[in-house]
């Protein structure tokens, strides 16, 4: 196997970050790539810590993609099940994230038309296996090497963090409301939010936040604009003492909560979906779900569509407050079990496993 046809997006979103880290490891391992960027656009502006050599190699892998194209080359596509039907070569492996729990006929058929579909979580693999799909596997992702401890002190108060696109399934509005009701305007605490959703207009975002907080303004809740670079994101992760992002009710991995935990911070994590692959009672404040609700929000998840159907997991108000109190009792303790996660989950292991599978 000389070349792999690699199709993936390169941008500042989560899929783009995963793709970039896969390319970084392919480069380190000396694996030749014919790179076919999804959207036919390469945006590396977020990856400000990456070496010029790596960026040049990615650009060259794109420029020479047709020169090195061969029907004998295996193809790896990093993308959604939706629109995964197109392929560069005759043999394609799909790497994807899945957050729901009721695979549709379209999703199962797209999964079955791949030579192999690899999910980021064992939960997704098992969900599709139970629905009758056979050609499936699971390979986890890992810690981005651009996420690291800075050793800096940031605030003179305990900083809660909420990171990730504003969405119903992530419980963004509910977390804001619950936190404000107990800790709002108590200057011993701060809530720093990086919840910008690029698919929602700014005016609508402001309205959603205002509705979540019942129209009130809190002097200890800070909303950040979109952070443009991974260095800025790393500073944010380091500034957070307690990460609330793990309370999402449906995830394909949950990078914000995972990254914070790997830095030795404490994350409050709902014991469901992909969280079960990496979060446990030793490295996280684990909250068991109290139930399930329909995932449909009329924007990203719409009932009756051929993709993204099912429910997401919920938690009780009481469990939220118990978890925050437990996290506060641990905030001065470094999360040594969390620090060990990067040894178990890293992109070197991810990409080596993918190459091993591709060679089979």
């Amino acid at each position: 196997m000389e070349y792999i046809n690699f199709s993936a997006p390169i941008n500042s979103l989560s899929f783009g970050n995963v793709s970039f880290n896969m390319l970084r490891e392919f480069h380190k391992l000396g694996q030749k790539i014919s790179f076919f960027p999804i959207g036919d656009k390469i945006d590396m502006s977020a990856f400000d810590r990456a070496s010029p050599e790596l960026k040049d190699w990615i650009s060259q892998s794109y420029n020479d993609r047709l020169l090195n194209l061969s029907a004998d080359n295996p193809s790896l596509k990093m993308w959604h099940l939706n629109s995964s039907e197109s392929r560069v070569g005759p043999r394609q492996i799909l790497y994807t994230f899945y957050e729901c729990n009721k695979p549709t006929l379209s999703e199962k058929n797209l999964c079955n038309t791949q030579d192999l579909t690899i999910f980021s979580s064992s939960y997704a693999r098992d969900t599709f296996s139970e629905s009758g799909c056979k050609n499936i596997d699971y390979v986890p992702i890992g810690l981005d090497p651009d996420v690291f401890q800075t050793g800096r002190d940031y605030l003179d108060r305990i900083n809660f963090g909420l990171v990730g696109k504003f969405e119903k399934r992530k419980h963004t509005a509910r977390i804001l409301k619950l936190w404000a009701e107990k800790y709002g305007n108590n200057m011993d605490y701060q809530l720093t939010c990086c919840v910008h959703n690029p698919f929602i207009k700014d005016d609508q975002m402001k309205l959603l936040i205002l509705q979540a907080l019942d129209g009130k303004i809190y002097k200890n809740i800070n909303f950040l604009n979109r952070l443009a670079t991974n260095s800025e994101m790393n500073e944010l992760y380091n500034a957070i003492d307690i990460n609330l992002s793990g309370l999402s009710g449906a995830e394909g991995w949950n990078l914000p909560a995972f990254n914070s935990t790997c830095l030795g911070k404490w994350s409050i994590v709902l014991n469901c979906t992909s969280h079960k692959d990496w979060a446990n009672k030793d490295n996280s404040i684990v909250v068991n779900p109290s139930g399930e609700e329909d995932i449909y929000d009329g924007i990203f998840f719409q009932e009756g569509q051929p993709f993204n159907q099912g429910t997401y997991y919920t938690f009780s108000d009481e469990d939220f407050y118990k978890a925050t109190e437990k996290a506060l009792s641990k905030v001065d303790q470094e999360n040594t079990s969390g620090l060990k996660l990067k040894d178990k989950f890293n992109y070197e292991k991810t990409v080596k496993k993918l190459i091993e599978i591709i060679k089979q």
Side-chain angles (χ1 to χ4, degrees), residues 95-128:
Y95 188 93
T96 192
F97 295 80
Y98 179 78
E99 295 126 356
C100 300
N101 56 7
K102 294 183 180 178
T104 66
L105 291 175
S106 294
E107 288 170 333
K108 289 189 286 186
N109 196 39
L110 283 167
C111 179
N112 287 331
T113 57
Q114 308 294 326
D115 290 88
L116 180 69
T117 298
I118 302 174
F119 291 99
S120 61
S121 73
S122 60
Y123 172 83
R125 176 200 61 193
D126 295 345
T127 299
F128 274 78

Side-chain angles (χ1 to χ4, degrees), residues 79-309:
W79 193 233
H80 307 275
L81 274 167
N82 189 358
S83 302
S84 66
E85 65 273 12
S86 63
R87 59 175 66 198
V88 174
R91 183 165 71 92
Q92 175 169 282
I93 292 172
L94 174 69
Y95 188 93
T96 192
F97 295 80
Y98 179 78
E99 295 126 356
C100 300
N101 56 7
K102 294 183 180 178
T104 66
L105 291 175
S106 294
E107 288 170 333
K108 289 189 286 186
N109 196 39
L110 283 167
C111 179
N112 287 331
T113 57
Q114 308 294 326
D115 290 88
L116 180 69
T117 298
I118 302 174
F119 291 99
S120 61
S121 73
S122 60
Y123 172 83
R125 176 200 61 193
D126 295 345
T127 299
F128 274 78
S129 176
E130 290 164 7
S131 73
C133 293
K134 303 297 184 185
N135 57 330
I136 52 178
D137 207 336
Y138 150 62
V139 176
I141 55 174
L143 181 67
D144 187 329
D146 290 341
V147 177
F148 58 91
Q149 290 179 311
T150 62
R152 291 179 52 196
D153 293 325
Y154 290 86
L155 297 176
D156 59 356
R157 67 195 73 168
I158 294 173
N159 189 21
F160 288 78
L162 184 58
V163 183
K165 298 189 298 292
F166 195 114
E167 284 190 49
K168 174 184 174 180
R169 69 180 170 96
K170 293 178 179 288
H171 294 290
T172 312
R174 184 149 177 255
I175 292 168
L176 287 172
K177 180 179 176 62
L178 289 172
W179 193 92
E181 287 177 351
K182 183 162 185 177
Y183 303 104
N185 291 328
N186 183 336
M187 299 309 292
D188 289 335
Y189 310 104
Q190 176 168 306
L191 176 60
T192 300
C193 304
C194 186
V195 295
H196 176 268
N197 190 324
F199 304 103
I200 298 176
K201 293 181 179 179
D202 288 345
D203 289 346
Q204 182 65 17
M205 273 293 303
K206 292 176 182 177
L207 180 61
L208 289 170
I209 291 170
L210 202 61
Q211 289 173 340
L213 297 175
D214 294 327
K216 300 176 183 178
I217 304 297
Y218 293 90
K219 56 188 177 183
N220 63 340
I221 301 181
N222 182 29
F223 291 94
L224 302 177
N225 294 324
R226 186 184 77 86
L227 300 182
T229 66
N230 281 7
S231 289
E232 291 173 299
M233 285 302 305
N234 187 55
E235 294 287 343
L236 173 60
Y237 287 133
N238 276 272
I240 291 172
D241 299 303
I242 300 170
N243 198 321
L244 303 175
S245 312
L247 284 165
S248 173
E251 288 290 339
W253 189 256
N254 199 329
L255 285 170
F258 174 76
N259 288 343
S260 281
T261 308
C262 289
L263 291 177
K265 309 293 184 170
W266 291 101
S267 294
I268 300 176
V269 182
L270 198 58
N271 188 27
C272 64
T273 64
S274 64
H275 296 157
K276 291 186 173 184
D277 286 324
W278 61 265
N280 57 53
K281 62 181 179 61
D282 296 322
N283 63 35
S284 304
I285 312 298
V286 175
V287 175
N288 287 320
S290 60
E292 298 177 42
E293 293 179 359
D294 286 340
I295 201 167
Y296 313 117
D297 55 15
I299 305 174
F300 309 105
F301 300 85
Q302 301 189 38
E303 189 172 6
Q305 295 300 304
F307 298 95
N308 297 327
Q309 302 294 289

Side-chain angles (χ1 to χ4, degrees), residues 40-86:
D40 204 28
K41 181 182 178 182
I42 299 176
D43 178 7
M44 293 190 277
S45 59
F47 310 108
D48 57 318
R49 293 187 58 84
S51 68
E53 179 190 1
L54 172 60
K55 291 183 176 181
D56 289 345
W57 178 82
I58 292 172
S59 296
Q60 198 63 43
S61 297
Y62 166 68
N63 292 334
D64 293 345
R65 68 195 185 285
L66 299 180
L67 297 175
N68 300 312
L69 183 63
S70 167
D72 295 328
N73 294 344
S75 297
L76 175 65
K77 187 169 194 171
M78 218 297 291
W79 193 233
H80 307 275
L81 274 167
N82 189 358
S83 302
S84 66
E85 65 273 12
S86 63

Side-chain angles (χ1 to χ4, degrees), residues 323-335:
T324 57
E325 289 298 322
K326 186 174 181 179
L328 286 170
S329 72
K330 289 176 170 285
V331 75
D332 291 327
Q333 306 170 29
E334 188 171 53
N335 184 354

